[in-house]
Amino acid sequence: MSTSEADKPVHVLLVDDEASLREPLAEYLTGQGFRVSEAESGAGARSVLLNQHPDIALVDIMMPGEDGLSLTRFLTETKGLPVILLTAKGEATDRIIGLEIGADDYVPKPFEPRELVARIRSVLRRAGRAAVASPEEDALYQFDGWHLDPLKRKLTDPDGSVVSISTAEFRLLRAFLDHPRSVLDRDRLLDMVQGREAHMFDRAVDNQVSRLRRKIEADSRDPQLILTVRGGGYRFAANVTRVALARD
């Protein structure tokens, strides 16, 4: 990553239909050194994404028109964008669904803005979006003809085509690639993929494994790369190598 890129402020897409929350929060985040793009709806967020490339999205679940869960699925699966859900206290089921479809974290309303800033930074670190790349992020993963560039979050299949993956799928794949041929139980994978309070959402990891298998397995019904270990979790069966990359 170049010095100019590292010096760029983190770009936050803030999506909430309540102007009374959105506008002061945007002002606060700006004061904390973030660049903020606001949207009051899913349609507005999609419009922003036509010519903007934010680093992370804060998405309210309850919005008129397209709800936050539908928008989250679009952001994670199509744009590979980390997402923090802004939720009301009584939306436990929606929080679970949000995490299962790829959201990185959630913050119940009302929240302390300083806590939200800490969550943003934590999610960006977990997603590999830290301002300065670590040595590990400068190495390309290779497995079974596939390539993963962790800094660019770019997954390439054996034919050379780029395959889109969500933030949660990216972190799950990283966990497997960092621990090839090791049995990783669900609790450990949940900690790696979802982070805080992941134990509350047991089935989230199974859903993410299923989605990742559909991306990288020749036949997801007969997986050869991500194997299920009865009573134990999962094991990544392929050999994994690392190749150092020279960044511009």
Side-chain angles (χ1 to χ4, degrees):
M1 181 178 292
S2 68
T3 302
S4 60
E5 288 175 326
D7 290 341
K8 288 182 180 179
V10 170
H11 185 181
V12 177
L13 172 60
L14 174 57
V15 190
D16 196 308
D17 62 305
E18 296 183 36
S20 59
L21 180 147
R22 187 185 69 250
E23 293 174 356
L25 180 56
E27 183 176 353
Y28 178 83
L29 292 174
T30 300
Q32 294 297 307
F34 296 96
R35 175 188 172 194
V36 182
S37 293
E38 298 179 52
E40 62 181 11
S41 65
R46 290 171 182 263
S47 179
V48 169
L49 292 168
L50 291 176
N51 51 27
Q52 300 288 334
H53 302 282
D55 299 298
I56 190 169
L58 310 178
V59 178
D60 182 32
I61 286 184
M62 297 298 293
M63 294 187 294
E66 182 180 18
D67 66 24
L69 294 178
S70 173
L71 179 61
T72 294
R73 186 185 297 276
F74 169 76
L75 293 174
T76 59
E77 294 186 355
T78 304
K79 300 297 182 179
L81 197 63
V83 174
I84 297 177
L85 295 173
L86 308 180
T87 75
K89 285 185 176 179
E91 295 172 345
T93 300
D94 286 341
R95 289 198 295 269
I96 293 171
I97 294 172
L99 292 173
E100 288 179 344
I101 64 176
D104 296 80
D105 203 350
Y106 66 88
V107 180
K109 297 178 182 179
F111 51 79
E112 167 58 50
R114 287 178 298 179
E115 179 186 359
L116 179 60
V117 168
R119 298 284 188 85
I120 291 171
R121 289 172 177 157
S122 176
V123 166
L124 290 172
R125 284 195 299 270
R126 294 204 315 257
R129 299 291 184 87
V132 179
S134 67
E136 291 79 9
E137 290 173 327
D138 278 333
L140 185 75
Y141 292 91
Q142 297 179 335
F143 63 96
D144 200 42
W146 290 76
H147 299 82
L148 178 69
D149 182 336
L151 186 58
K152 295 182 178 179
R153 283 184 33 173
K154 180 180 178 182
L155 178 63
T156 308
D157 70 16
D159 294 327
S161 300
V162 175
V163 176
S164 176
I165 55 173
S166 70
T167 301
E169 291 164 353
F170 167 76
R171 290 206 305 269
L172 181 62
L173 181 57
R174 279 285 300 269
F176 284 129
L177 297 181
D178 284 335
H179 303 87
R181 302 187 178 278
S182 299
V183 176
L184 301 177
D185 64 31
R186 287 173 175 79
D187 287 341
R188 188 174 181 190
L189 284 170
L190 283 166
D191 287 339
M192 293 176 177
V193 174
Q194 298 289 8
R196 189 184 63 91
E197 298 185 7
H199 62 279
M200 296 176 59
F201 310 102
D202 291 340
R203 67 181 185 268
V205 68
D206 295 318
N207 289 339
Q208 291 299 340
V209 166
S210 294
R211 290 189 174 93
L212 183 57
R213 279 173 168 164
R214 290 197 290 269
K215 300 287 180 69
I216 68 173
E217 298 278 6
D219 181 355
S220 61
R221 296 167 297 182
D222 182 25
Q224 302 299 309
L225 298 177
I226 304 174
L227 305 183
T228 300
V229 178
R230 187 175 299 276
Y234 297 97
R235 180 170 66 88
F236 196 76
N239 290 322
V240 178
T241 58
R242 304 292 300 276
V243 179
L245 294 176
R247 302 288 182 181
D248 294 332

